[in-house]
Amino acid sequence: MKKKLSIAIDGPAAAGKSTVAKIVAEKLSYLYIDTGAMYRALTYKAIIGNLDIEDEEALLKSLMSTEIELVPAESGQLVYLDDQNVTHEIRTAAVTNSVSIVSKHPKVRKEMVKRQQKFAQNGGVVMDGRDIGTHVLPNAEVKVFLRASVEERALRRHLENQQKGFPSDLEKLKQEIALRDKIDSERETAPLKKAEDAIEIDTTSLTIPEVVDQIMALVDERIGQM
Ligand code: CDP
Ligand code: CDP
């Protein structure tokens, strides 16, 4: 039987991480874990509970009493917060615009990382986020860092919104993405950063299948070395 690898996919917002991670996981019959969804779920809980998102202790307390479940589904992954399906609620602009503040708190990250490592303990996972290759799975056999220009990433989100029939302002999206990248890259704890041993793929002018093929080639190469 082929050895089951751990695959880490990091990169800034809308670089295509979750889209390609999902496809790679499906091709390998691995578990797909979207760590951003966990930070989003806590952010959603903080918003509906009227918590101060700068208050680290309050957020940690809330997280410690919260179960966040990621359930594989045909559409990718369903997200449950204490048994409530919040898959759609965690993608609202209110959550998106607060999640990077919630995610900067070291104690919140420590607990999230612990949970993420537990999900990955048996290997056979494709995990996407910001600090997977650097902190969550430092021994992952395959590490990928996806990049794309901020213009391209904003355009991708814009097209996605239009397809879903959501209102969308391209210039505003670009500003929001750039701000989130800035907070994620400049925070003290586990900032968004390419791991030294990660392979960088600039997806700006690549299609989704092209990115998937490049990652599958890295996986095959790694399996061949084992
Ligand atoms: O899909 P999108 O790029 O919009 O973001 P996401 O993966 O859902 O992540 C949302 C936010 O969670 C990021 O902007 C980070 O602030 C935070 N995050 C993090 O700090 N560490 C991770 N491993 C994953 C997400
Ligand atoms: O997870 P992350 O925020 O990095 O990005 P995503 O939600 O997977 O992808 C953002 C959008 O870009 C989706 O609508 C994808 O279909 C699209 N896209 C892509 O992911 N990769 C490309 N090479 C081209 C487009």
Side-chain angles (χ1 to χ4, degrees):
M1 203 179 79
K2 276 188 179 174
K3 181 172 182 328
K4 290 198 160 200
L5 311 183
S6 293
I7 302 173
I9 302 186
D10 290 301
K17 301 180 299 296
S18 55
T19 305
V20 299
K22 243 178 265 174
I23 301 173
V24 169
E26 212 173 273
K27 281 183 180 281
L28 294 165
S29 299
Y30 282 11
L31 184 63
Y32 162 59
I33 299 165
D34 173 0
T35 61
M38 298 172 71
Y39 290 97
R40 283 175 178 273
L42 177 61
T43 305
Y44 172 72
K45 191 172 180 193
I47 292 172
I48 56 169
N50 263 323
L51 296 184
D52 174 1
I53 57 170
E54 290 288 354
D55 185 342
E56 179 169 27
E57 294 302 331
L59 290 168
L60 181 66
K61 193 169 164 216
S62 172
L63 177 59
M64 296 311 285
S65 65
T66 305
E67 201 187 338
I68 301 171
E69 251 190 296
L70 305 178
V71 181
E74 194 127 317
S75 56
Q77 179 192 260
L78 300 177
V79 183
Y80 286 86
L81 185 69
D82 295 329
D83 294 332
Q84 183 197 349
N85 183 344
V86 293
T87 310
H88 297 296
E89 287 81 351
I90 65 168
R91 305 281 160 199
T92 59
V95 171
T96 301
N97 293 330
S98 295
V99 64
S100 288
I101 303 294
V102 170
S103 308
K104 72 177 184 172
H105 299 294
K107 290 179 186 170
V108 168
R109 299 201 70 81
K110 194 171 172 205
E111 174 62 19
M112 288 292 193
V113 169
K114 198 169 114 191
R115 295 185 189 193
Q116 290 155 6
Q117 288 174 336
K118 212 163 154 190
F119 284 145
Q121 63 191 355
N122 299 321
V125 290
V126 184
M127 193 176 275
D128 87 354
R130 302 293 188 286
D131 59 342
I132 312 305
T134 50
H135 286 86
V136 182
L137 304 176
N139 298 321
E141 287 87 356
V142 174
K143 295 184 187 178
V144 176
F145 194 87
L146 298 183
R147 282 192 201 281
S149 70
V150 69
E151 287 77 17
E152 171 66 19
R153 291 185 284 125
L155 186 62
R156 288 177 185 175
R157 276 277 185 271
H158 185 58
L159 294 175
E160 208 177 287
N161 287 340
Q162 285 182 329
Q163 268 169 13
K164 290 178 184 162
F166 296 162
S168 188
D169 177 331
L170 182 59
E171 198 46 43
K172 205 166 147 214
L173 271 174
K174 201 172 121 184
Q175 284 168 15
E176 283 168 2
I177 286 179
L179 176 63
R180 201 143 57 90
D181 287 352
K182 184 171 156 59
I183 302 174
D184 291 345
S185 310
E186 291 180 357
R187 69 175 173 232
E188 277 182 28
T189 309
L192 165 65
K193 199 172 108 191
K194 177 182 134 5
E196 274 181 20
D197 51 349
I199 304 291
E200 188 171 321
I201 304 176
D202 187 335
T203 76
T204 307
S205 49
L206 296 179
T207 64
I208 294 166
E210 283 170 340
V211 181
V212 170
D213 284 352
Q214 288 198 25
I215 298 175
M216 290 304 291
L218 292 173
V219 171
D220 286 342
E221 190 186 317
R222 196 68 181 88
I223 288 175
Q225 293 165 348
M226 297 173 98

